[in-house]
mmCIF file of all heavy atoms in Angstrom:
data_model
loop_
_atom_site.group_PDB
_atom_site.id
_atom_site.type_symbol
_atom_site.label_atom_id
_atom_site.label_comp_id
_atom_site.label_asym_id
_atom_site.label_seq_id
_atom_site.Cartn_x
_atom_site.Cartn_y
_atom_site.Cartn_z
ATOM 1 N N LEU A 166 16.708 -23.723 -13.243
ATOM 2 C CA LEU A 166 17.194 -23.324 -11.935
ATOM 3 C C LEU A 166 17.509 -24.564 -11.102
ATOM 4 O O LEU A 166 16.657 -25.445 -10.932
ATOM 5 C CB LEU A 166 16.143 -22.478 -11.208
ATOM 6 C CG LEU A 166 15.695 -21.182 -11.887
ATOM 7 C CD1 LEU A 166 14.817 -20.376 -10.940
ATOM 8 C CD2 LEU A 166 16.866 -20.362 -12.368
ATOM 9 N N VAL A 167 18.719 -24.617 -10.574
ATOM 10 C CA VAL A 167 19.139 -25.744 -9.734
ATOM 11 C C VAL A 167 19.805 -25.179 -8.479
ATOM 12 O O VAL A 167 20.064 -23.984 -8.375
ATOM 13 C CB VAL A 167 20.110 -26.689 -10.491
ATOM 14 C CG1 VAL A 167 19.425 -27.309 -11.708
ATOM 15 C CG2 VAL A 167 21.363 -25.935 -10.934
ATOM 16 N N ASN A 168 20.084 -26.087 -7.526
ATOM 17 C CA ASN A 168 20.705 -25.684 -6.258
ATOM 18 C C ASN A 168 19.928 -24.526 -5.612
ATOM 19 O O ASN A 168 20.510 -23.537 -5.164
ATOM 20 C CB ASN A 168 22.171 -25.276 -6.465
ATOM 21 C CG ASN A 168 23.004 -26.386 -7.067
ATOM 22 O OD1 ASN A 168 22.785 -27.562 -6.775
ATOM 23 N ND2 ASN A 168 23.956 -26.023 -7.922
ATOM 24 N N ILE A 169 18.613 -24.689 -5.573
ATOM 25 C CA ILE A 169 17.741 -23.622 -5.081
ATOM 26 C C ILE A 169 17.793 -23.530 -3.561
ATOM 27 O O ILE A 169 17.669 -24.537 -2.867
ATOM 28 C CB ILE A 169 16.292 -23.863 -5.541
ATOM 29 C CG1 ILE A 169 16.210 -23.778 -7.074
ATOM 30 C CG2 ILE A 169 15.343 -22.856 -4.917
ATOM 31 C CD1 ILE A 169 14.869 -24.201 -7.629
ATOM 32 N N ASN A 170 17.987 -22.316 -3.073
ATOM 33 C CA ASN A 170 17.921 -22.033 -1.637
ATOM 34 C C ASN A 170 16.849 -20.962 -1.433
ATOM 35 O O ASN A 170 17.123 -19.771 -1.601
ATOM 36 C CB ASN A 170 19.267 -21.553 -1.112
ATOM 37 C CG ASN A 170 19.294 -21.456 0.405
ATOM 38 O OD1 ASN A 170 18.303 -21.074 1.029
ATOM 39 N ND2 ASN A 170 20.430 -21.796 0.997
ATOM 40 N N PRO A 171 15.630 -21.368 -1.057
ATOM 41 C CA PRO A 171 14.532 -20.396 -0.950
ATOM 42 C C PRO A 171 14.785 -19.291 0.071
ATOM 43 O O PRO A 171 14.318 -18.160 -0.120
ATOM 44 C CB PRO A 171 13.333 -21.260 -0.535
ATOM 45 C CG PRO A 171 13.697 -22.649 -0.935
ATOM 46 C CD PRO A 171 15.179 -22.730 -0.791
ATOM 47 N N ILE A 172 15.529 -19.607 1.126
ATOM 48 C CA ILE A 172 15.783 -18.587 2.159
ATOM 49 C C ILE A 172 16.654 -17.467 1.599
ATOM 50 O O ILE A 172 16.370 -16.280 1.787
ATOM 51 C CB ILE A 172 16.445 -19.215 3.395
ATOM 52 C CG1 ILE A 172 15.563 -20.337 3.974
ATOM 53 C CG2 ILE A 172 16.717 -18.137 4.446
ATOM 54 C CD1 ILE A 172 14.202 -19.871 4.420
ATOM 55 N N ILE A 173 17.712 -17.843 0.883
ATOM 56 C CA ILE A 173 18.565 -16.827 0.262
ATOM 57 C C ILE A 173 17.776 -16.044 -0.768
ATOM 58 O O ILE A 173 17.926 -14.822 -0.906
ATOM 59 C CB ILE A 173 19.803 -17.490 -0.378
ATOM 60 C CG1 ILE A 173 20.695 -18.094 0.707
ATOM 61 C CG2 ILE A 173 20.585 -16.480 -1.207
ATOM 62 C CD1 ILE A 173 21.906 -18.826 0.170
ATOM 63 N N ALA A 174 16.900 -16.733 -1.509
ATOM 64 C CA ALA A 174 16.076 -16.057 -2.516
ATOM 65 C C ALA A 174 15.139 -15.039 -1.856
ATOM 66 O O ALA A 174 14.936 -13.940 -2.382
ATOM 67 C CB ALA A 174 15.273 -17.089 -3.303
ATOM 68 N N MET A 175 14.567 -15.402 -0.726
ATOM 69 C CA MET A 175 13.639 -14.500 -0.032
ATOM 70 C C MET A 175 14.354 -13.270 0.517
ATOM 71 O O MET A 175 13.833 -12.158 0.438
ATOM 72 C CB MET A 175 12.932 -15.248 1.100
ATOM 73 C CG MET A 175 11.920 -16.286 0.625
ATOM 74 S SD MET A 175 11.377 -17.403 1.948
ATOM 75 C CE MET A 175 10.598 -16.261 3.080
ATOM 76 N N PHE A 176 15.545 -13.462 1.067
ATOM 77 C CA PHE A 176 16.274 -12.357 1.693
ATOM 78 C C PHE A 176 17.284 -11.777 0.706
ATOM 79 O O PHE A 176 18.486 -11.748 0.959
ATOM 80 C CB PHE A 176 16.938 -12.824 2.986
ATOM 81 C CG PHE A 176 15.957 -13.130 4.079
ATOM 82 C CD1 PHE A 176 15.426 -14.405 4.220
ATOM 83 C CD2 PHE A 176 15.533 -12.132 4.946
ATOM 84 C CE1 PHE A 176 14.495 -14.688 5.219
ATOM 85 C CE2 PHE A 176 14.616 -12.411 5.948
ATOM 86 C CZ PHE A 176 14.091 -13.691 6.079
ATOM 87 N N ASN A 177 16.730 -11.308 -0.413
ATOM 88 C CA ASN A 177 17.543 -10.722 -1.468
ATOM 89 C C ASN A 177 17.780 -9.233 -1.193
ATOM 90 O O ASN A 177 17.166 -8.652 -0.282
ATOM 91 C CB ASN A 177 16.848 -10.930 -2.808
ATOM 92 C CG ASN A 177 15.444 -10.363 -2.810
ATOM 93 O OD1 ASN A 177 15.241 -9.167 -2.886
ATOM 94 N ND2 ASN A 177 14.450 -11.253 -2.679
ATOM 95 N N PRO A 178 18.663 -8.586 -1.954
ATOM 96 C CA PRO A 178 18.970 -7.165 -1.679
ATOM 97 C C PRO A 178 17.775 -6.229 -1.755
ATOM 98 O O PRO A 178 17.757 -5.182 -1.085
ATOM 99 C CB PRO A 178 20.005 -6.826 -2.765
ATOM 100 C CG PRO A 178 20.639 -8.124 -3.107
ATOM 101 C CD PRO A 178 19.554 -9.149 -2.985
ATOM 102 N N ALA A 179 16.772 -6.557 -2.569
ATOM 103 C CA ALA A 179 15.612 -5.677 -2.712
ATOM 104 C C ALA A 179 14.632 -5.815 -1.553
ATOM 105 O O ALA A 179 13.782 -4.935 -1.351
ATOM 106 C CB ALA A 179 14.887 -5.974 -4.030
ATOM 107 N N MET A 180 14.737 -6.907 -0.799
ATOM 108 C CA MET A 180 13.736 -7.220 0.213
ATOM 109 C C MET A 180 13.590 -6.170 1.311
ATOM 110 O O MET A 180 12.462 -5.738 1.603
ATOM 111 C CB MET A 180 14.024 -8.595 0.829
ATOM 112 C CG MET A 180 12.941 -9.121 1.770
ATOM 113 S SD MET A 180 13.032 -8.486 3.476
ATOM 114 C CE MET A 180 14.571 -9.234 4.020
ATOM 115 N N PRO A 181 14.666 -5.715 1.956
ATOM 116 C CA PRO A 181 14.480 -4.802 3.099
ATOM 117 C C PRO A 181 13.719 -3.529 2.749
ATOM 118 O O PRO A 181 12.770 -3.153 3.447
ATOM 119 C CB PRO A 181 15.923 -4.504 3.541
ATOM 120 C CG PRO A 181 16.718 -5.672 3.057
ATOM 121 C CD PRO A 181 16.086 -6.073 1.769
ATOM 122 N N THR A 182 14.134 -2.838 1.679
ATOM 123 C CA THR A 182 13.471 -1.571 1.350
ATOM 124 C C THR A 182 12.069 -1.790 0.809
ATOM 125 O O THR A 182 11.150 -1.024 1.124
ATOM 126 C CB THR A 182 14.298 -0.783 0.320
ATOM 127 O OG1 THR A 182 14.562 -1.606 -0.834
ATOM 128 C CG2 THR A 182 15.612 -0.325 0.922
ATOM 129 N N LYS A 183 11.871 -2.830 -0.001
ATOM 130 C CA LYS A 183 10.539 -3.081 -0.566
ATOM 131 C C LYS A 183 9.541 -3.460 0.517
ATOM 132 O O LYS A 183 8.421 -2.947 0.564
ATOM 133 C CB LYS A 183 10.604 -4.168 -1.641
ATOM 134 C CG LYS A 183 11.010 -3.648 -3.003
ATOM 135 C CD LYS A 183 10.752 -4.674 -4.076
ATOM 136 C CE LYS A 183 10.912 -4.033 -5.440
ATOM 137 N NZ LYS A 183 9.842 -3.086 -5.742
ATOM 138 N N VAL A 184 9.925 -4.373 1.381
ATOM 139 C CA VAL A 184 9.029 -4.813 2.452
ATOM 140 C C VAL A 184 8.700 -3.652 3.382
ATOM 141 O O VAL A 184 7.528 -3.419 3.721
ATOM 142 C CB VAL A 184 9.658 -5.982 3.233
ATOM 143 C CG1 VAL A 184 8.927 -6.210 4.553
ATOM 144 C CG2 VAL A 184 9.628 -7.261 2.393
ATOM 145 N N ALA A 185 9.723 -2.914 3.803
ATOM 146 C CA ALA A 185 9.495 -1.789 4.708
ATOM 147 C C ALA A 185 8.588 -0.748 4.064
ATOM 148 O O ALA A 185 7.668 -0.226 4.707
ATOM 149 C CB ALA A 185 10.831 -1.165 5.106
ATOM 150 N N HIS A 186 8.803 -0.456 2.789
ATOM 151 C CA HIS A 186 8.009 0.559 2.105
ATOM 152 C C HIS A 186 6.554 0.131 1.980
ATOM 153 O O HIS A 186 5.634 0.924 2.223
ATOM 154 C CB HIS A 186 8.596 0.827 0.721
ATOM 155 C CG HIS A 186 8.067 2.059 0.072
ATOM 156 N ND1 HIS A 186 8.413 3.330 0.483
ATOM 157 C CD2 HIS A 186 7.199 2.237 -0.952
ATOM 158 C CE1 HIS A 186 7.802 4.223 -0.260
ATOM 159 N NE2 HIS A 186 7.048 3.602 -1.135
ATOM 160 N N VAL A 187 6.322 -1.125 1.610
ATOM 161 C CA VAL A 187 4.956 -1.624 1.448
ATOM 162 C C VAL A 187 4.199 -1.605 2.770
ATOM 163 O O VAL A 187 3.051 -1.150 2.847
ATOM 164 C CB VAL A 187 4.967 -3.044 0.852
ATOM 165 C CG1 VAL A 187 3.596 -3.710 0.983
ATOM 166 C CG2 VAL A 187 5.376 -3.001 -0.625
ATOM 167 N N VAL A 188 4.823 -2.090 3.833
ATOM 168 C CA VAL A 188 4.142 -2.198 5.128
ATOM 169 C C VAL A 188 3.867 -0.813 5.718
ATOM 170 O O VAL A 188 2.746 -0.523 6.174
ATOM 171 C CB VAL A 188 4.972 -3.060 6.105
ATOM 172 C CG1 VAL A 188 4.346 -3.035 7.501
ATOM 173 C CG2 VAL A 188 5.056 -4.499 5.599
ATOM 174 N N ILE A 189 4.863 0.050 5.718
ATOM 175 C CA ILE A 189 4.687 1.373 6.324
ATOM 176 C C ILE A 189 3.686 2.221 5.541
ATOM 177 O O ILE A 189 2.859 2.932 6.132
ATOM 178 C CB ILE A 189 6.041 2.107 6.440
ATOM 179 C CG1 ILE A 189 6.975 1.352 7.390
ATOM 180 C CG2 ILE A 189 5.836 3.531 6.952
ATOM 181 C CD1 ILE A 189 6.446 1.188 8.797
ATOM 182 N N THR A 190 3.733 2.164 4.214
ATOM 183 C CA THR A 190 2.750 2.931 3.433
ATOM 184 C C THR A 190 1.343 2.384 3.629
ATOM 185 O O THR A 190 0.367 3.140 3.527
ATOM 186 C CB THR A 190 3.099 2.918 1.937
ATOM 187 O OG1 THR A 190 3.265 1.570 1.476
ATOM 188 C CG2 THR A 190 4.367 3.710 1.664
ATOM 189 N N ALA A 191 1.216 1.095 3.920
ATOM 190 C CA ALA A 191 -0.107 0.538 4.227
ATOM 191 C C ALA A 191 -0.641 1.137 5.520
ATOM 192 O O ALA A 191 -1.828 1.501 5.606
ATOM 193 C CB ALA A 191 -0.030 -0.984 4.332
ATOM 194 N N TYR A 192 0.211 1.249 6.530
ATOM 195 C CA TYR A 192 -0.206 1.876 7.786
ATOM 196 C C TYR A 192 -0.605 3.335 7.542
ATOM 197 O O TYR A 192 -1.633 3.801 8.057
ATOM 198 C CB TYR A 192 0.936 1.836 8.810
ATOM 199 C CG TYR A 192 1.364 0.459 9.247
ATOM 200 C CD1 TYR A 192 2.652 0.230 9.739
ATOM 201 C CD2 TYR A 192 0.502 -0.630 9.160
ATOM 202 C CE1 TYR A 192 3.057 -1.017 10.155
ATOM 203 C CE2 TYR A 192 0.907 -1.901 9.562
ATOM 204 C CZ TYR A 192 2.189 -2.086 10.064
ATOM 205 O OH TYR A 192 2.593 -3.329 10.461
ATOM 206 N N MET A 193 0.214 4.049 6.783
ATOM 207 C CA MET A 193 -0.059 5.455 6.504
ATOM 208 C C MET A 193 -1.382 5.620 5.752
ATOM 209 O O MET A 193 -2.217 6.467 6.109
ATOM 210 C CB MET A 193 1.078 6.054 5.675
ATOM 211 C CG MET A 193 0.888 7.515 5.301
ATOM 212 S SD MET A 193 2.055 8.083 4.040
ATOM 213 C CE MET A 193 1.427 7.204 2.591
ATOM 214 N N THR A 194 -1.583 4.811 4.717
ATOM 215 C CA THR A 194 -2.799 4.917 3.912
ATOM 216 C C THR A 194 -4.038 4.603 4.732
ATOM 217 O O THR A 194 -5.055 5.302 4.643
ATOM 218 C CB THR A 194 -2.721 3.971 2.697
ATOM 219 O OG1 THR A 194 -1.560 4.298 1.924
ATOM 220 C CG2 THR A 194 -3.954 4.093 1.819
ATOM 221 N N ALA A 195 -3.966 3.542 5.531
ATOM 222 C CA ALA A 195 -5.113 3.185 6.372
ATOM 223 C C ALA A 195 -5.467 4.321 7.318
ATOM 224 O O ALA A 195 -6.646 4.644 7.524
ATOM 225 C CB ALA A 195 -4.806 1.905 7.159
ATOM 226 N N ALA A 196 -4.455 4.956 7.904
ATOM 227 C CA ALA A 196 -4.704 6.063 8.830
ATOM 228 C C ALA A 196 -5.402 7.222 8.121
ATOM 229 O O ALA A 196 -6.385 7.786 8.633
ATOM 230 C CB ALA A 196 -3.388 6.531 9.450
ATOM 231 N N PHE A 197 -4.936 7.576 6.932
ATOM 232 C CA PHE A 197 -5.533 8.710 6.225
ATOM 233 C C PHE A 197 -6.918 8.384 5.667
ATOM 234 O O PHE A 197 -7.774 9.276 5.581
ATOM 235 C CB PHE A 197 -4.600 9.177 5.104
ATOM 236 C CG PHE A 197 -3.405 9.952 5.593
ATOM 237 C CD1 PHE A 197 -2.139 9.685 5.100
ATOM 238 C CD2 PHE A 197 -3.546 10.944 6.552
ATOM 239 C CE1 PHE A 197 -1.032 10.398 5.538
ATOM 240 C CE2 PHE A 197 -2.453 11.657 7.018
ATOM 241 C CZ PHE A 197 -1.184 11.390 6.507
ATOM 242 N N VAL A 198 -7.158 7.146 5.290
ATOM 243 C CA VAL A 198 -8.504 6.755 4.840
ATOM 244 C C VAL A 198 -9.488 6.849 5.997
ATOM 245 O O VAL A 198 -10.601 7.382 5.855
ATOM 246 C CB VAL A 198 -8.484 5.332 4.246
ATOM 247 C CG1 VAL A 198 -9.910 4.805 4.059
ATOM 248 C CG2 VAL A 198 -7.754 5.325 2.900
ATOM 249 N N LEU A 199 -9.105 6.345 7.163
ATOM 250 C CA LEU A 199 -9.979 6.421 8.334
ATOM 251 C C LEU A 199 -10.166 7.872 8.791
ATOM 252 O O LEU A 199 -11.247 8.247 9.250
ATOM 253 C CB LEU A 199 -9.398 5.573 9.468
ATOM 254 C CG LEU A 199 -9.373 4.058 9.209
ATOM 255 C CD1 LEU A 199 -8.599 3.338 10.311
ATOM 256 C CD2 LEU A 199 -10.779 3.494 9.085
ATOM 257 N N ALA A 200 -9.119 8.679 8.656
ATOM 258 C CA ALA A 200 -9.244 10.106 8.991
ATOM 259 C C ALA A 200 -10.244 10.787 8.067
ATOM 260 O O ALA A 200 -11.048 11.628 8.506
ATOM 261 C CB ALA A 200 -7.880 10.783 8.889
ATOM 262 N N ALA A 201 -10.209 10.431 6.784
ATOM 263 C CA ALA A 201 -11.145 11.018 5.819
ATOM 264 C C ALA A 201 -12.589 10.662 6.159
ATOM 265 O O ALA A 201 -13.493 11.498 6.013
ATOM 266 C CB ALA A 201 -10.798 10.530 4.407
ATOM 267 N N ILE A 202 -12.810 9.436 6.630
ATOM 268 C CA ILE A 202 -14.166 9.028 7.019
ATOM 269 C C ILE A 202 -14.659 9.864 8.200
ATOM 270 O O ILE A 202 -15.797 10.345 8.224
ATOM 271 C CB ILE A 202 -14.186 7.528 7.359
ATOM 272 C CG1 ILE A 202 -13.892 6.698 6.102
ATOM 273 C CG2 ILE A 202 -15.538 7.119 7.959
ATOM 274 C CD1 ILE A 202 -13.682 5.222 6.368
#
Side-chain angles (χ1 to χ4, degrees):
L166 301 188
V167 298
N168 302 325
I169 296 172
N170 189 323
I172 302 299
I173 294 177
M175 289 167 62
F176 291 90
N177 56 76
M180 188 277 293
T182 54
K183 277 193 169 290
V184 165
H186 194 72
V187 166
V188 173
I189 296 301
T190 53
Y192 296 155
M193 179 192 71
T194 302
F197 285 135
V198 168
L199 294 172
I202 294 171

